[in-house]
Amino acid sequence: MQIRRLWKLLRARIPGVIVVPLLALASLSAWALASPVGASPDDDFHLVSIWCGLGDRGGLCEPGAKADQATVPQELTASPCYAHDATKSASCQGADFGTHPDVTVSTDRGNFTGLYPPVFYFVNSIFAGENIDIAVILMRVFNALLYVALVTAAYLLLPLRRRTPLLVGAALTIVPLGVFLIPSTNPSSWAIASATVLWITLVGFMETVGRRRVGLAIVAVVATVMGAGARADAAIWSICAVAIALFLTFRRERAYLIHASLPVLLAIVSAAFYLSASQSGAVTNGLTGEPPHGLTWIGLFIYNLTQAPDLWVGVFGHYGLGWLDTPIPNVVWVAGFAIFVGAVALNLRTRDRRTALVMAGITALLFVIPSEILTQSNAVVGGYVQPRYLMPLIIIFGGVAVLFTGRSAFVPRLAIPITAGVMTLTNSLALFVNMRRYITGDDTLGLNLNQRIEWWWPAAPSPMVIWVLGSVLFGLLYASLALYAWNRAAPAASQDPAIVSTTVAQ
């Protein structure tokens, strides 16, 4: 009898617990191979910082010519030789790129003055090695694995009705910027992972009891250290996530105040990471720049305020990938943003006062924060502040929009397969365009990525194999999520017994 029950449980759990995470990891791994070393923004800085993340190591990171420099393989600093020119393939790296650790250079282009928090560089530095290609691929797949593991753990630990906000926030915002950055050597990888799970795991933590609460606490701690330990701005979003979770779950009870001590502690840890990073000065003091001609301070602020939504749609592909030099077809961001807005609009009628206030607050932050930084920097939207900086807030906004008392978000069943199909197609198109840009440069047209190859990984499967696998596996992933959403769209079942409070979203 026990064996039969166990088999039924495994049969019900295997698709969600094993297959879906494996599909997600495989899809992100395809993106890990879709661009060369140095492709993510400011990768010359981040790669050097990673190679020196564990301090001085012979052949990897040694003392530089000056106190604020380090001696590293020269190929780390030269890897983005194709940056800012979409017609230039990655062949400029050379056919034997990544195999010359003995050719070194002293550089100050690294995290030698504490510009960024050190945790991301420290952990990824474990994979640094003499073969740069292999090391970078390992780092990318590892960061993708961390993201998948974190989301999977949060999903399994959250009560049933809190899983939908987690999945919606992730699934509807990940293409194309997320799928590019998560399997990358850019600290934004961890910022995205942290934002995806932190706020909702804290909501679950404040609402549950027993081992589930302990598990959610562990996930929240890991997510906080990952986000705040990667970027100063991610530390701010971690503090925002704590504030959102506490506001949504607030109860006038002594037990609530006791349990709230963990989120408060996480906010303090995030603040400590933020204050320890020189990068934090950009938020309070702005960056450097010359004021646009004819604009006063207030005029510049108002202009940036009105242009801020341009950064939001950048998350969905309006801005280029890589060093903002890989243009993505407009259909990708139009379709992705339309689906996101549609999901939010369909659930407006379920809004209660608390979630409405949180959504209004996030919207205000999405307007004010980039406008303030740009104005202090004497710059306009399009410079300095990039969509990836705001992506964590977009993810949280999407999740909060579908947070209410019920089995899932309100959505017509017909919209579920349409959404899955559109996301699959936009991911496939973005993956193809991204690969084309580096393999031949985007001045070469053609549907066969295997023709006229100028750059590709030495021992990897052919470009077409990676593109087809990445597209198909991503489609299977979203088909699985669509099946989950279809079943969850059925009439509400009994209240989840793990929930001990129904204050939220009533």
Side-chain angles (χ1 to χ4, degrees), residues 271-350:
F273 272 114
Y274 172 78
L275 294 173
S276 68
S278 304
Q279 187 191 25
S280 61
V283 178
T284 55
N285 302 320
L287 302 165
T288 59
E290 296 295 328
H293 178 70
L295 284 177
T296 62
W297 181 90
I298 188 64
L300 182 58
F301 180 78
I302 293 174
Y303 176 83
N304 284 321
L305 208 62
T306 60
Q307 297 296 314
D310 186 65
L311 294 168
W312 310 349
V313 294
V315 171
F316 301 91
H318 181 49
Y319 279 49
L321 297 181
W323 291 66
L324 304 182
D325 59 2
T326 304
I328 299 298
N330 287 335
V331 67
V332 173
W333 76 263
V334 170
F337 189 61
I339 288 174
F340 181 81
V341 171
V344 172
L346 284 171
N347 287 276
L348 286 177
R349 68 179 186 176
T350 66

Side-chain angles (χ1 to χ4, degrees), residues 38-40 42 78-86 88-90 92 322-325 437-438:
S40 60
D42 301 314
S79 58
C81 55
Y82 46 78
H84 308 301
D85 185 357
K88 193 174 185 179
S89 74
C92 61
W323 291 66
L324 304 182
D325 59 2
R437 181 258 181 272
Y438 297 110

Side-chain angles (χ1 to χ4, degrees), residues 294-449:
L295 284 177
T296 62
W297 181 90
I298 188 64
L300 182 58
F301 180 78
I302 293 174
Y303 176 83
N304 284 321
L305 208 62
T306 60
Q307 297 296 314
D310 186 65
L311 294 168
W312 310 349
V313 294
V315 171
F316 301 91
H318 181 49
Y319 279 49
L321 297 181
W323 291 66
L324 304 182
D325 59 2
T326 304
I328 299 298
N330 287 335
V331 67
V332 173
W333 76 263
V334 170
F337 189 61
I339 288 174
F340 181 81
V341 171
V344 172
L346 284 171
N347 287 276
L348 286 177
R349 68 179 186 176
T350 66
R351 297 277 56 77
D352 69 296
R353 184 176 300 176
R354 291 194 189 184
T355 51
L357 287 174
V358 169
M359 291 175 68
I362 294 175
T363 302
L365 290 176
L366 287 170
F367 272 108
V368 173
I369 288 182
S371 300
E372 174 66 13
I373 295 175
L374 287 167
T375 300
Q376 290 188 31
S377 306
N378 293 315
V380 297
V381 169
Y384 294 131
V385 178
Q386 298 180 24
R388 61 191 172 97
Y389 304 159
L390 301 180
M391 187 173 179
L393 274 184
I394 300 288
I395 294 171
I396 296 173
F397 185 91
V400 172
V402 297
L403 182 76
F404 76 110
T405 303
R407 289 193 66 191
S408 72
F410 170 78
V411 58
R413 273 191 163 180
L414 181 60
I416 295 173
I418 292 176
T419 297
V422 170
M423 296 298 292
T424 298
L425 291 174
T426 54
N427 173 76
S428 180
L429 181 56
L431 180 61
F432 181 91
V433 171
N434 185 77
M435 293 177 68
R436 169 63 72 195
R437 181 258 181 272
Y438 297 110
I439 292 171
T440 63
D442 68 0
D443 57 342
T444 297
L445 303 178
L447 298 179
N448 189 349
L449 294 172

Side-chain angles (χ1 to χ4, degrees), residues 83-427:
H84 308 301
D85 185 357
T87 65
K88 193 174 185 179
S89 74
S91 61
C92 61
Q93 292 180 336
D96 56 349
F97 173 83
T99 60
H100 302 287
D102 53 322
V103 181
T104 61
V105 63
S106 179
T107 179
D108 61 357
R109 183 89 170 129
N111 196 44
F112 308 130
T113 58
L115 185 64
Y116 285 74
V119 181
F120 177 84
Y121 300 132
F122 178 86
V123 173
N124 278 271
S125 187
I126 296 171
F127 301 98
E130 294 185 351
N131 189 303
I132 295 176
D133 280 348
I134 294 176
V136 167
I137 290 175
L138 288 175
M139 293 172 198
R140 291 177 176 180
V141 174
F142 171 74
N143 289 328
L145 177 62
L146 278 181
Y147 173 84
V148 172
L150 203 61
V151 173
T152 302
Y155 173 85
L156 293 176
L157 290 166
L158 283 168
L160 290 177
R161 67 173 187 170
R162 297 307 181 214
R163 292 174 177 176
T164 296
L166 169 70
L167 296 180
V168 169
L172 297 189
T173 60
I174 199 171
V175 177
L177 189 59
V179 287
F180 178 83
L181 286 175
I182 290 168
S184 76
T185 50
N186 190 292
S188 292
S189 169
W190 284 18
I192 293 170
S194 175
T196 301
V197 304
L198 180 56
W199 76 277
I200 191 63
T201 53
L202 289 177
V203 168
F205 170 81
M206 297 302 296
E207 293 179 334
T208 56
V209 294
R211 287 180 294 179
R212 183 176 296 205
R213 169 173 276 170
V214 174
L216 288 169
I218 295 172
V219 173
V221 170
V222 173
T224 300
V225 173
M226 283 181 61
R231 297 185 57 91
D233 53 338
I236 295 178
W237 306 143
S238 295
I239 295 172
C240 289
V242 169
I244 289 169
L246 290 179
F247 180 76
L248 288 172
T249 59
F250 178 74
R251 302 187 307 275
R252 295 180 181 178
E253 300 173 3
R254 181 181 178 183
Y256 175 88
L257 296 178
I258 293 174
H259 294 133
S261 59
L262 174 67
V264 171
L265 178 61
L266 295 182
I268 294 173
V269 170
S270 299
F273 272 114
Y274 172 78
L275 294 173
S276 68
S278 304
Q279 187 191 25
S280 61
V283 178
T284 55
N285 302 320
L287 302 165
T288 59
E290 296 295 328
H293 178 70
L295 284 177
T296 62
W297 181 90
I298 188 64
L300 182 58
F301 180 78
I302 293 174
Y303 176 83
N304 284 321
L305 208 62
T306 60
Q307 297 296 314
D310 186 65
L311 294 168
W312 310 349
V313 294
V315 171
F316 301 91
H318 181 49
Y319 279 49
L321 297 181
W323 291 66
L324 304 182
D325 59 2
T326 304
I328 299 298
N330 287 335
V331 67
V332 173
W333 76 263
V334 170
F337 189 61
I339 288 174
F340 181 81
V341 171
V344 172
L346 284 171
N347 287 276
L348 286 177
R349 68 179 186 176
T350 66
R351 297 277 56 77
D352 69 296
R353 184 176 300 176
R354 291 194 189 184
T355 51
L357 287 174
V358 169
M359 291 175 68
I362 294 175
T363 302
L365 290 176
L366 287 170
F367 272 108
V368 173
I369 288 182
S371 300
E372 174 66 13
I373 295 175
L374 287 167
T375 300
Q376 290 188 31
S377 306
N378 293 315
V380 297
V381 169
Y384 294 131
V385 178
Q386 298 180 24
R388 61 191 172 97
Y389 304 159
L390 301 180
M391 187 173 179
L393 274 184
I394 300 288
I395 294 171
I396 296 173
F397 185 91
V400 172
V402 297
L403 182 76
F404 76 110
T405 303
R407 289 193 66 191
S408 72
F410 170 78
V411 58
R413 273 191 163 180
L414 181 60
I416 295 173
I418 292 176
T419 297
V422 170
M423 296 298 292
T424 298
L425 291 174
T426 54
N427 173 76

Side-chain angles (χ1 to χ4, degrees), residues 24-63:
L25 179 59
S27 301
L28 291 172
S29 296
W31 274 92
L33 295 172
S35 56
V37 174
S40 60
D42 301 314
D43 236 355
D44 56 336
F45 178 96
H46 298 307
L47 288 174
V48 170
S49 302
I50 289 172
W51 252 250
C52 294
L54 289 173
D56 293 344
R57 289 185 292 172
L60 299 178
C61 178
E62 299 177 355

